[in-house]
Amino acid sequence: MTTRNPIRISPNRPQQTSPSGLKRIVLTAPDTVEMYAQPKPLRTVINPKACYLVIAHSERGTLSDHALQTIAAAAILADAETNVLALILGELTEDLANVVADQVIVMPELDFEHFQPELELANISSLIESIQPTRIFMPDNHTGDGDLGRRLIARQKTKTAATRVVELDLDHVATYQAGGASIAQITLPEIILLAANTVDTHLPFTALAQRSNLATGNQASNNQALASPYQDLGMQTIAATEIALDEADFIVSAGNGVQNVATLESLAHALQASIGASRVAVDDGKFSRDRQIGASGKTVSASAYLAIGISGAVQHLQGIKDCRHVIAINTDASAPMVKRADLSVIGDAEEIMRALITLIAEAKSANLKVAA
Amino acid sequence: MSIKRIAVLVSTGRHPTSGVPRHCRNDSLALTIGIDLSQCKAAKLDVLHAGNANNPALMDYLALGADQINVIPTEPDSDIVESLAERLGDADLILTGSRAENGQDSGLLPYLLAEKLDIPIIANALELKQVGDRLEVLQFFPKGKRRRVAVTLPAIIAIHPLAAAELRFAYVCQQQGKIHSLSAPVGRGQATSIMQWQIQPATRKPNKLKARENLTGHERLLAAITSESKGGTVVNDGNSVEKAQVILSYLREHQLITF
């Protein structure tokens, strides 16, 4: 008679610490913590039979969320035999990791700052001619793409198109009609101008995002001066103090942690930013009611939002959900605002603001010396 | 080249809640700017509407200062761009709104018309000014940006809803104005690609497009307990000058400041 040894579990079982700090017992110990964050699979197209083209302008060298959503939409709708090609008009300095396109073409000379629709259309048309995309996706925004997309639709008369698309899948697109009273559906057209926030950018895969020089052949047409009926007389920016808070691009915002309003105002002046405030600061009488940002105040969509002494109540975070870069100055490292912010600096608000004002003044005078 | 004939394209709007037909505010701004410009340049003003001449919304445009509204009758399958282009061939300046409140509301009409007539188009215009033989347009962009563009005439200008024009509503103008129905354009081509939209009342919210994920139970659990960190950096060390320098270099790195 044979005796079977009972399965013994070691009292020193392998364990690991999860990212949230809990100890977890594992039966087969992984070598590293990487088990928790597995890399996403790479989307690869072996035999491309079709091509989706995404066209978007970049803004200060990066793509807006809206443009990234449009690229994500094309990547989601593309099947295993469809190449996703992103054409970025303007510079692209950003890391391409979050651009889920198979190939990326950058045309730095066609940036949004310059109004040159004829040149853009000529370049895009020749690209369309050479790669014959099955569908074209563009973000329907007010920073160049909506305008260019409509020009493209008018130019490409044979292609079906839909604008301000609020819903799309493999079978149909839907848009609001009659001023939002009715919703109209149609089968997926060839040119799609996508409204903002219609796509979830969380994707289970990544893509190569290879820089392609498909367009180098087209650059030749740039040299031939197109007889354009338009002449760009330049972009101008309205002074930050004059524009409404909801339209501002740079906001310096104060909360309970700001004792000295004068320092904040001089910082905002130095950065040429609009001034916002949290509810507490407005209730204290430091700022007028129209400066309040949050659920009961204004919703802002600035590129840069400098939150000074704001803990970040949910209502306030609601008001800044569309802000691209949030920088927090706070004494409390565990405040909700620190979790939201892209950069948090822990320290006394007054001291840091003063140091910032001095540094900005130095940088500006150094710039002036270089220019002189 | 002086502006001799200005055409304003007006559409009918609807009240967002009650659905009552009314003037489209964006087109009214275009009309007001057109009236001011035509008085300034002694140009002929042609207010055009493609649709039904009996629509009560047209009376609003009379009240806003149009002496006469010319209505091009349309049929459901006809191409508005074609019939408008026939009428607009000799216009020096064509004004319209950027967004309709009724119909397809795609914002495409000015572009299609410009392509048909082979003239330039500028959208989201806030101000117009004639300089020499060209028109200077101030274009609206979000985040406090404006752009000045000069364009050769004839051109189509689509006015932005924030254009600074004051609407003047006068009952006496409404009573004196006329609505003139034009004859249906002859030889009009059928719309080449009328897209078959299925229209429903907007009672539901649009569905967001999401990537399909085939995850095992284990992966779903892992996804629930771990979250993709946003990667926000926290700076704890250093004195206030060093901390300020961190902020400044972040702003520089993302090109948010120019100095």
Side-chain angles (χ1 to χ4, degrees):
Chain A
M1 200 180 128
T2 56
T3 52
R4 279 175 58 192
N5 287 333
I7 300 167
R8 301 196 58 153
I9 299 172
S10 160
N12 302 319
R13 281 171 290 193
Q15 62 187 24
Q16 62 177 201
T17 314
S18 72
S20 51
L22 290 173
K23 275 191 177 165
R24 298 204 176 266
I25 297 164
V26 285
L27 293 180
T28 51
D31 299 336
T32 53
V33 199
E34 250 82 89
M35 185 185 157
Y36 277 93
Q38 278 179 345
K40 291 176 181 175
L42 190 70
R43 195 191 108 89
T44 42
V45 185
I46 301 146
N47 275 326
K49 289 195 175 136
C51 177
Y52 285 177
L53 176 64
V54 186
I55 306 170
H57 281 91
S58 65
E59 215 176 311
R60 293 195 189 94
T62 61
L63 291 176
S64 65
D65 286 346
H66 193 172
L68 289 175
Q69 286 163 9
T70 315
I71 298 176
I76 292 172
L77 294 184
D79 58 13
E81 294 180 329
T82 309
N83 228 343
V84 177
L85 185 79
L87 170 62
I88 312 298
L89 306 176
E91 262 180 60
L92 188 67
T93 51
E94 172 183 53
D95 182 22
L96 291 171
N98 51 357
V99 180
V100 280
D102 300 316
Q103 281 169 308
V104 180
I105 300 175
V106 183
M107 294 188 179
E109 68 283 358
L110 297 178
D111 59 346
F112 154 70
E113 295 287 318
H114 300 103
F115 188 60
Q116 39 196 7
E118 297 296 321
L119 188 60
E120 287 177 332
L121 269 184
N123 269 304
I124 291 170
S125 299
S126 68
L127 186 68
I128 289 173
E129 195 81 12
S130 66
I131 61 170
Q132 298 287 337
T134 8
R135 293 186 204 294
I136 300 170
F137 295 81
M138 289 183 81
D140 198 350
N141 58 21
H142 289 290
T143 48
D145 298 316
D147 181 63
L148 181 64
R150 285 180 174 80
R151 285 174 198 272
L152 190 67
I153 291 170
R155 189 64 57 88
Q156 307 268 331
K157 287 188 200 76
T158 51
K159 285 189 160 60
T160 51
T163 60
R164 292 199 187 101
V165 169
V166 292
E167 178 184 282
L168 82 164
D169 60 25
L170 273 174
D171 306 318
H172 80 282
V173 295
T175 76
Y176 284 119
Q177 289 194 353
S182 52
I183 194 162
Q185 292 191 4
I186 199 165
T187 51
L188 199 62
E190 284 162 290
I191 303 180
I192 297 155
L193 298 197
L194 205 61
N197 300 325
T198 54
V199 184
D200 189 346
T201 47
H202 176 80
L203 298 180
F205 53 83
T206 55
L208 275 176
Q210 274 178 326
R211 287 247 183 177
S212 164
N213 21 4
L214 257 175
T216 42
N218 303 327
Q219 306 294 315
S221 64
N222 298 0
N223 299 335
Q224 301 162 9
L226 281 155
S228 173
Y230 310 99
Q231 191 199 349
D232 193 341
L233 300 177
M235 198 72 126
Q236 61 196 64
T237 312
I238 297 179
T241 42
E242 278 173 38
I243 57 173
L245 209 49
D246 355 30
E247 218 197 297
D249 194 38
F250 201 134
I251 298 175
V252 173
S253 189
N256 205 21
V258 173
Q259 303 300 326
N260 195 349
V261 178
T263 322
L264 182 102
E265 277 169 354
S266 54
L267 176 64
H269 182 73
L271 285 168
Q272 294 171 345
S274 306
I275 295 176
S278 74
R279 188 192 56 80
V280 186
V282 172
D283 281 359
D284 280 356
K286 289 175 186 158
F287 300 94
S288 61
R289 187 58 70 185
D290 64 333
R291 294 277 145 204
Q292 184 180 336
I293 294 168
S296 51
K298 279 177 175 155
T299 306
V300 295
S301 56
S303 298
Y305 185 80
L306 194 53
I308 302 170
I310 299 178
S311 64
V314 181
Q315 289 87 342
H316 188 80
L317 294 182
Q318 246 176 27
I320 61 166
K321 65 179 192 308
D322 298 329
C323 290
R324 188 74 197 269
H325 300 281
V326 176
I327 303 170
I329 301 176
N330 213 321
T331 46
D332 179 8
S334 60
M337 180 56 90
V338 176
K339 293 198 182 70
R340 164 68 176 86
D342 301 282
L343 172 71
S344 310
V345 174
I346 312 300
D348 182 59
E350 179 70 21
E351 278 178 25
I352 297 177
M353 279 198 290
R354 282 188 187 282
L356 204 49
I357 293 168
T358 329
L359 281 181
I360 292 167
E362 282 170 14
K364 277 186 178 168
S365 60
N367 259 14
L368 276 182
K369 270 179 201 158
V370 170
Chain B
M1 192 173 113
S2 63
I3 303 175
K4 290 203 184 66
R5 192 175 159 229
I6 299 174
V8 182
L9 311 181
V10 295
S11 66
T12 57
R14 61 187 288 286
H15 191 275
T17 312
S18 66
V20 170
R22 61 168 193 185
H23 68 109
C24 169
R25 199 181 171 276
N26 203 178
D27 290 340
S28 307
L29 290 174
L31 176 67
T32 311
I33 289 174
I35 291 170
D36 291 349
L37 207 59
S38 71
Q39 281 166 357
C40 181
K41 305 277 170 207
K44 195 170 158 272
L45 187 74
D46 185 9
V47 184
L48 274 177
H49 171 69
N52 183 2
N54 298 323
N55 196 316
L58 293 181
M59 301 294 282
D60 286 352
Y61 292 112
L62 295 180
L64 287 164
D67 297 331
Q68 177 174 328
I69 299 175
N70 297 316
V71 181
I72 301 174
T74 53
E75 284 151 34
D77 63 336
S78 65
D79 193 349
I80 294 182
V81 176
E82 199 86 23
S83 30
L84 279 176
E86 246 171 68
R87 171 92 190 170
L88 291 171
D90 60 337
D92 297 319
L93 179 63
I94 303 168
L95 296 173
T96 184
S98 281
R99 263 205 97 145
E101 294 174 2
N102 221 334
Q104 273 202 13
D105 188 16
S106 65
L108 271 174
L109 180 88
Y111 294 89
L112 293 172
L113 208 53
E115 188 67 29
K116 182 90 200 159
L117 295 169
D118 196 20
I119 56 176
I121 152 121
I122 291 182
N124 294 328
L126 289 174
E127 287 169 24
L128 312 179
K129 191 171 67 180
Q130 200 188 2
V131 177
D133 57 349
R134 293 190 306 181
L135 199 66
E136 260 188 40
V137 182
L138 185 70
Q139 251 188 318
F140 172 88
F141 286 99
K143 296 186 176 166
K145 283 190 173 162
R146 307 284 183 267
R147 177 157 62 201
R148 266 191 199 286
V149 178
V151 65
T152 54
L153 294 169
I156 299 185
I157 311 288
I159 303 291
H160 190 268
L162 289 178
E166 200 186 334
L167 300 187
R168 297 169 295 256
F169 193 97
Y171 180 70
V172 65
C173 295
Q174 187 182 42
Q175 296 305 304
Q176 283 170 354
K178 288 193 296 286
I179 293 175
H180 174 67
S181 197
L182 300 169
S183 57
V186 283
R188 172 198 66 218
Q190 289 246 319
T192 41
S193 63
I194 283 207
M195 295 171 68
Q196 294 302 318
W197 293 93
Q198 287 175 5
I199 299 169
Q200 295 162 339
T203 47
R204 66 179 175 91
K205 264 192 165 176
N207 297 325
K208 254 190 172 183
L209 178 66
K210 276 192 184 131
R212 260 182 60 188
E213 276 185 276
N214 294 324
L215 293 179
T216 60
H218 181 244
E219 284 168 332
R220 269 202 294 278
L221 261 175
L222 281 181
I225 58 171
T226 58
S227 59
E228 282 180 45
S229 72
K230 272 203 69 199
T233 32
V234 180
V235 178
N236 252 320
D237 311 322
N239 59 26
S240 53
V241 178
E242 282 162 359
K243 285 172 180 169
Q245 188 61 52
V246 171
I247 296 177
L248 205 60
S249 37
Y250 181 92
L251 293 174
R252 280 212 187 103
E253 185 193 339
H254 293 91
Q255 300 181 27
L256 297 163
I257 48 174
T258 49
F259 42 83

